[in-house]
Every structure is written in structure tokens, then in C-alpha cells.
């Protein structure tokens, strides 16, 4: 069963062909990071225009790399939402066109269901269920229970900013560029992550929710109080900025891992999953691994290429959805806000 998947929810134009939900025959990701970098965040109108330019070469590239023609496909899967509506529309229309012309079933995929499938794609057949999954990206920070393949129960989520969004905003404030996560991750190596003590509010009403807007404001106050200017050379910021971002990163990672541990202790899963763009963070990977080892649980984290946005995870989630009989009609629309499950 070969599925072509298309992902255009944010600033990556991606296409992939995956066989039986587990063998990646091709995966192409064209990132627009350089286009949005001067603005310190994604400019939606620019993103959709660039998706339009990239979608045909990216899809043809994925088909060529897989050595496939369209007749050999069994289905076309596409990210329906959530995301930037103008960006999503480009992928949805392309997928509809291809599925219609070549007479293939069209399978709608939720972006987060894609991220949740990435650990299964990377560790085929190894993940014991039920699992507790922490999904951390630029748009989402959520904890799910995964009782069975393709089934997700939301346990908690951020009440304000997503963790990746906080990384991006702090990097923007300090003139470090976009996307902030990988930049802060790199600059934190060897810096003093105890230089500034940031505390992240714990949500105390019993829910497994997160909140990251407070720490962003705390960084802003620290910058103002200490008269810290944005980096003149973003590739070599001064020590005080490196220590500041390392301290910020440590606080965010501590909050994420603390919640993961608490939920795992409450629900006794058989495994832990960590996925989404922020799962690329080296400290988060290390701390999540330490927590899993403490709890005696296996932890499954996709490689970085499958953690950040890609279409292979959408094809894998599309395979699960297809097997459950999920199909879209030709009236499929992009949904900026789409609940999961
Ligand atoms: O999953 P993703 O590629 O797109 C969304 O669905 O949002 O996640 C992108 C987010 C961005 O906020 C980016 O700064 C963050 O993931 N990110 C990281 C790292 N690599 C990417 N955050 C922290 N450390 C990283 N190494
Ligand atoms: Zn994503």
C-alpha cells in the first residue's frame, strides 16, 4: 500500500511516499526558514505564496525519488489542519487535484496525528501501548494518551503559547533569527544555564496543562532591566545572551519533563513518546531519556528529520486513517482550527 502525502500547514512544503505506513520511499522537505527569518516568525501571506511555487516540484521530486508513477499509488493523504489556512489550502488543493485526476482515494490527516505517528514510523513494531505522548511544536504543546494505533486522548495542553513559539519569540527578542529553537539549542551548548533563575508557573487545578507565556515575559523583563541589546552578530552573540537563552531553555525543558513525569506516574503507561519540532531539542531529548530511565519505561523519539514538519509522518498517519476507513470527498476544505479525535 503506497501513499503519497502532502504537508503544507506552516512554512515547510513537504511530500513523501511511504509504503505500508512504515517504509519511507521518499521524503522531501522544502523549508522557507530563510524567507521568514528577517521577520522573526512566519509571515502567512509569504508562506502560502511560496507553497504555491514549491508544491509541484516538491511532489514530483518525491514521486521521482520513490521511482513511482501516479498509477502505482494507492491513496493520496494530505494535512487538512490545523495550521495557516492559506498554506493548508495549497496542499489540500494539490492533493485533491492529484487524487481526482488519477482516481485515487483522498485521506485527510490531522497535523498532530502526523506528529504522533512519527515515533511509530521511526520505531516500527517496537512501541508498547498504551503510551503517553508529549507533542511539542511551534503551534502545539500537548500530552496525549495513545491506547491503540491512531487513537489519541488529550490529557493536557498549553493554555497560551506553545513551547516552540516561546523559543521563536525569545530568539526574535534577542535578534537571533528564526526559527529560534535550533538557534537557542546551539547557543546554549557550553553556556551557563543557571545564570538566570526562571520559574515556570505550575497549573494547580489538577489538569495536565502547560503555560509558556509567563516565561517569555520574564525574559523580556530581564532584558529590559539589564539593558541587554539584541545581538549585533546573531552567529556570535555575547556571553550574557548565551547564558540567558540557556537558562530559558532549561526552564522550558524542566516544565515539559516535569509534566511528562507526573502524567506517566499517574497513568502507568507502557512507553513514552516525544515528538514535534521541539523534540529536536538536545536538552529535552536528554532530560526525557533520563525521566524515562528513572520510571523504567522505554522512550521513543523520532530522528530530527521526522520530528520537525515532514510529509512521511502524514503518510504514516494516512495509512492508519485509511485502514480505519477514513476518506475525504472532493469538498475537503482546509481547517485552521481542527480538533484531534
Ligand atoms: O513541528 P514543527 O516543525 O512545526 C509545527 O508544527 O509548529 O515545529 C517547529 C518548532 C519551531 O518553533 C522551532 O523553533 C522548534 O520547533 N524547534 C526547536 C528545535 N528545532 C525546532 N525548538 C527547540 N530546540 C530545537 N532544536
Ligand atoms: Zn508540526
Amino acid at each position: 500500500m503506497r501513499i503519497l502525502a502532502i504537508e503544507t500547514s506552516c512554512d515547510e512544503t513537504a511530500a513523501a511516499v511511504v509504503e505500508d505506513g512504515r517504509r519511507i520511499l521518499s521524503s522531501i522537505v522544502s523549508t522557507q526558514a530563510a524567507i521568514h527569518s528577517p521577520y522573526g516568525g512566519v509571515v502567512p501571506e509569504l508562506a502560502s505564496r511560496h507553497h504555491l511555487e514549491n508544491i509541484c516540484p516538491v511532489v514530483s521530486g518525491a514521486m521521482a525519488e520513490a521511482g513511482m508513477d501516479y498509477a502505482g499509488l494507492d491513496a493520496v493523504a494530505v494535512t487538512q489542519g490545523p495550521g495557516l489556512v492559506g498554506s493548508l489550502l495549497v496542499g489540500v488543493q494539490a492533493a485533491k487535484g492529484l487524487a481526482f485526476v488519477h482516481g485515487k482515494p483522498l485521506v485527510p490527516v490531522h497535523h498532530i496525528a502526523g506528529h504522533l505517528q512519527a515515533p511509530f514510523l521511526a520505531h516500527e513494531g517496537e512501541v508498547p501501548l498504551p503510551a503517553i505522548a508529549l507533542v511539542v511544536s511551534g503551534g502545539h504543546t500537548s500530552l496525549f494518551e495513545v491506547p491503540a494505533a491512531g487513537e489519541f486522548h488529550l490529557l493536557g495542553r498549553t493554555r497560551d503559547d506553545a513551547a516552540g513559539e516561546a523559543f521563536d519569540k525569545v530568539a526574535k527578542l534577542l535578534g537571533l533569527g528564526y526559527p529560534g529553537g535550533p538557534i537557542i539549542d546551539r547557543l546554549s551548548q557550553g553556556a551557563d544555564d543557571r545564570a538566570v533563575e526562571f520559574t515556570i508557573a505550575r497549573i494547580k487545578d489538577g489538569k495536565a496543562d502547560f503555560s509558556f507565556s509567563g516565561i517569555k515575559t520574564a525574559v523580556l523583563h530581564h532584558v529590559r532591566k539589564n539593558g541587554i541589546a539584541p545581538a549585533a552578530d546573531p552567529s556570535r552573540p555575547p556571553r550574557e545572551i548565551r547564558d540567558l537563552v540557556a537558562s530559558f531553555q532549561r526552564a522550558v525543558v524542566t516544565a515539559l519533563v516535569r509534566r511528562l513525569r507526573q502524567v506517566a506516574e499517574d497513568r502507568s503507561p507502557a512507553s513514552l513518546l516525544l515528538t514535534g519540532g521541539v523534540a529536536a531539542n538536545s536538552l529535552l531529548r536528554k532530560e526525557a531519556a533520563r525521566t524515562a530511565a528513572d520510571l523504567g519505561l522505554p522512550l521513543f523519539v523520532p530522528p530530527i528529520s521526522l520530528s520537525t514538519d515532514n510529509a512521511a509522518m502524514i503518510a504514516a498517519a494516512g495509512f492508519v486513517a485509511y485502514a480505519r476507513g477514513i476518506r475525504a470527498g472532493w469538498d475537503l476544505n482546509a481547517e485552521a482550527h481542527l480538533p484531534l479525535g
Side-chain angles (χ1 to χ4, degrees):
M1 165 101 207
R2 289 171 169 182
I3 296 186
L4 165 70
I6 296 177
E7 152 66 43
T8 60
S9 66
C10 190
D11 62 339
E12 264 92 30
T13 318
V17 180
V18 174
E19 191 172 60
D20 297 335
R22 53 177 178 260
R23 270 185 301 285
I24 302 173
L25 304 184
S26 66
S27 179
I28 293 189
V29 180
S30 166
T31 177
Q32 304 176 8
I35 288 148
H36 302 287
S37 184
Y39 306 97
V42 178
V43 183
E45 183 60 26
L46 283 179
S48 43
R49 283 165 192 258
H50 281 88
H51 283 307
L52 265 182
E53 281 175 17
N54 295 338
I55 189 75
C56 290
V58 165
V59 170
S60 327
M63 293 299 289
E65 198 176 287
M68 301 260 322
D69 54 19
Y70 291 101
L73 290 173
D74 295 288
V76 179
V78 65
T79 305
Q80 183 193 4
L84 301 170
V85 75
S87 293
L88 288 163
L89 266 176
V90 176
V92 166
Q93 293 304 107
K96 278 204 273 195
L98 286 168
F100 182 78
V101 167
H102 300 286
K104 307 294 173 187
L106 179 65
V107 182
V109 175
H110 191 286
H111 184 74
I112 299 303
H115 277 303
L116 283 163
Q117 205 57 38
F120 294 90
L121 175 58
H123 301 276
E124 160 66 21
E126 294 172 43
V127 182
L129 296 174
I132 294 293
L134 175 60
V135 187
V136 236
S137 74
H140 303 269
T141 303
S142 307
L143 273 162
F144 290 90
E145 189 162 44
V146 187
E151 264 182 49
F152 316 110
H153 299 158
L154 182 68
L155 301 174
R157 62 185 164 78
T158 183
R159 298 206 175 165
D160 37 62
D161 290 357
E165 193 178 353
F167 272 94
D168 296 338
K169 287 178 177 169
V170 164
K172 181 177 183 180
L173 173 72
L174 296 167
L176 300 174
Y178 172 85
I183 298 170
I184 288 178
D185 193 350
R186 181 171 47 78
L187 293 176
S188 299
Q189 312 286 337
D192 177 8
D193 66 3
R194 308 244 161 212
V196 189
E197 276 305 321
F198 290 117
T199 46
I200 291 200
R202 288 176 196 237
I203 287 168
K204 296 218 175 75
D205 60 5
K207 290 240 180 72
D209 282 355
F210 301 95
S211 167
F212 293 104
S213 74
I215 186 163
K216 181 192 65 188
T217 313
V219 172
L220 179 65
H221 286 317
H222 178 88
V223 164
R224 288 206 179 131
K225 197 169 125 210
N226 294 279
I228 299 172
D233 175 0
S235 62
R236 297 167 57 95
R239 182 92 219 173
E240 93 186 310
I241 287 188
R242 293 179 47 218
D243 290 348
L244 174 58
V245 296
S247 303
F248 158 80
Q249 173 178 273
R250 181 171 63 85
V252 171
V253 167
T254 302
L256 289 169
V257 172
R258 187 174 63 201
R259 203 47 115 196
L260 176 64
R261 173 189 283 270
Q262 180 207 337
V263 168
E265 281 170 349
D266 286 354
R267 306 190 80 93
S268 311
S271 63
L272 300 179
L273 315 179
L274 174 64
T275 184
V278 183
N281 185 267
S282 51
L283 183 66
L284 179 56
R285 285 175 172 250
K286 201 168 90 190
E287 293 301 322
R290 199 211 301 260
T291 298
D294 273 3
L295 297 171
L297 291 173
L299 169 73
F300 297 94
V301 192
I304 290 174
S305 59
L306 293 176
S307 296
T308 52
D309 283 353
N310 67 90
M313 68 183 192
I314 303 300
F319 179 75
V320 175
Y322 183 89
R324 301 175 133 224
I326 295 168
R327 307 283 185 276
W330 303 127
D331 58 350
L332 178 71
N333 205 356
E335 300 288 348
H337 305 283
L338 185 67
L340 177 59

